[in-house]
């Protein structure tokens, strides 16, 4: 009898956790904020898809519920893929999408974290471990065995999702604009990875929101960038100014990396892209929030099957 194994791909960013899987022909796609907090029993009726879980006898709010109701809120601000925050986010992801008793995980990492030392830590932390999580709202229990885990560069995962690993016939730069960083992966027209033009740029949505934060602070108002991000209406004018400036800043930073940018196809991904206004040289993918996790899933299929 063939063992039931499910590949689960996780793009765990500083702002959002994007989870993707296909199992027995059915697609599973979940997105929630990369935030955890202490949890307690409250009225959940006013929340869409609230996540309230128990892990190792401790209760946690995850995602939007943690942002709104947590007393001690922890955001995923570190590069580590083995922190307590990431572990709780993975438990939440397993609760939402795991359908098989055995799973293989694919984790996206920035270019500057794609190295053997990081992989070995990830393997030691997750491989051959049982993960049990309880949904405190429905009382559902779920236990899975993590039989394997691997990592892959985030921007490369976009390439796999968009091109399926095939050559483009033209040099191409894949750009994923995240909350804190922008990931860049460059491929020549033959499909060869070019390390010289591939890098992590420390510029992202957080810097754009900092413009709004600094403007407000100058007027005597102190607001966290996360609250600015989630707010609708109060800061829209300042946000528009920030995104207009950011559109130009991003282009200039990419020009610094790739001097002949006019002769390169540039493919953009990431949730931040929807806020920016860029010229015809830049192509936005059809699913910018989920491209990395979809690509990670495809890589997992190639590695594990």
């Amino acid at each position: 009898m063939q063992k039931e194994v499910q590949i689960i791909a996780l793009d765990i960013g500083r702002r959002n956790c994007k989870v993707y899987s296909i199992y027995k022909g059915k697609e599973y796609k979940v997105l929630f904020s990369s935030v955890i907090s202490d949890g307690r029993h409250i009225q959940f009726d006013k929340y869409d898809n609230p996540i309230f879980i128990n892990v190792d006898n401790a209760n946690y709010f995850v995602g939007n519920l943690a942002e709104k109701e947590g007393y001690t809120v922890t955001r995923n601000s570190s590069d580590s893929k083995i922190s307590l925050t990431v572990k709780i986010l993975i438990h939440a992801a397993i609760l939402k999408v795991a359908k098989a008793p055995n799973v293989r995980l694919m984790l996206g990492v920035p270019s500057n974290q794609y190295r053997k030392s990081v992989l070995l830590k990830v393997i030691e932390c997750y491989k051959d471990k049982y993960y049990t999580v309880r949904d405190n709202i429905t009382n559902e229990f779920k236990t899975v065995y993590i039989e394997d885990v691997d990592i892959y560069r985030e921007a490369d995962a976009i390439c796999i999702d968009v091109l399926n690993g095939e050559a483009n016939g033209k040099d191409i730069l894949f750009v994923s604009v995240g909350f804190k960083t922008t990931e860049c992966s460059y491929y020549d027209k033959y499909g060869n990875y070019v390390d010289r033009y591939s890098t992590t740029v420390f510029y992202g949505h957080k810097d754009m929101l900092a413009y709004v934060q600094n403007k407000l602070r100058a007027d005597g108002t102190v607001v966290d960038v996360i609250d600015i991000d989630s707010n609708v209406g109060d800061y829209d004018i300042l946000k528009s100014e920030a995104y207009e400036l950011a559109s130009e800043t991003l282009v200039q930073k990419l020009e610094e990396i790739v001097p002949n940018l006019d002769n390169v196809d540039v493919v953009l991904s990431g949730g931040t892209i929807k806020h920016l206004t860029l010229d015809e040289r830049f192509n936005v993918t059809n699913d910018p929030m989920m491209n990395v996790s979809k690509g990670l899933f495809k890589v997992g299929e190639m590695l594990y099957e």
Side-chain angles (χ1 to χ4, degrees), residues 6 8 10 19 32 87-100 103 105 126 129-133 140 142-146:
Q6 179 181 1
I8 299 177
L10 301 108
V19 189
F32 50 86
K87 290 177 185 177
I88 299 305
L89 294 173
I90 290 178
H91 275 89
I94 286 171
L95 177 67
K96 290 296 183 181
V97 306
K99 305 300 176 183
V103 301
L105 303 182
Y126 299 112
K129 303 291 196 306
Y130 284 95
Y131 262 38
T132 297
V133 56
E140 174 191 5
K142 188 171 287 187
T143 298
V144 300
Y145 175 66
I146 302 175

Side-chain angles (χ1 to χ4, degrees), residues 122-246:
V122 166
I123 289 173
E124 181 182 6
C125 182
Y126 299 112
K127 187 174 180 178
D128 295 327
K129 303 291 196 306
Y130 284 95
Y131 262 38
T132 297
V133 56
R134 183 182 75 199
D135 187 330
N136 283 330
I137 300 174
T138 66
N139 287 321
E140 174 191 5
F141 275 88
K142 188 171 287 187
T143 298
V144 300
Y145 175 66
I146 302 175
E147 69 169 41
D148 212 342
V149 61
D150 211 328
I151 63 174
Y152 200 66
R153 276 186 296 250
E154 294 163 352
D156 288 3
I158 302 171
C159 173
I160 296 296
D161 183 43
V162 174
L163 297 180
N164 287 312
E166 298 178 1
N168 187 46
K170 186 177 179 181
D171 286 15
I172 185 167
L173 177 69
F174 289 94
V175 180
S176 177
V177 184
F179 190 67
K180 188 177 178 181
T181 62
T182 295
E183 298 299 321
C184 301
S185 283
Y186 190 103
Y187 290 82
D188 66 19
K189 63 182 179 180
Y190 304 108
N192 299 311
Y193 177 77
V194 181
D195 184 76
R196 177 183 178 185
Y197 298 138
S198 302
T199 188
T200 298
V201 180
F202 289 91
Y203 179 76
H205 198 196
K206 183 178 180 180
D207 299 282
M208 304 171 199
L209 296 172
Y211 170 89
V212 179
Q213 184 184 50
N214 291 332
K215 286 281 189 177
L216 293 171
R217 185 182 290 120
D219 291 333
T221 302
V222 178
V223 186
D224 187 85
V225 291
I226 300 297
D227 295 326
I228 294 171
D229 185 24
S230 59
N231 182 278
V232 178
D234 293 340
Y235 316 120
D236 287 359
I237 294 176
L238 286 175
K239 283 183 180 180
S240 295
E241 293 175 7
Y243 294 139
E244 183 177 356
L245 290 170

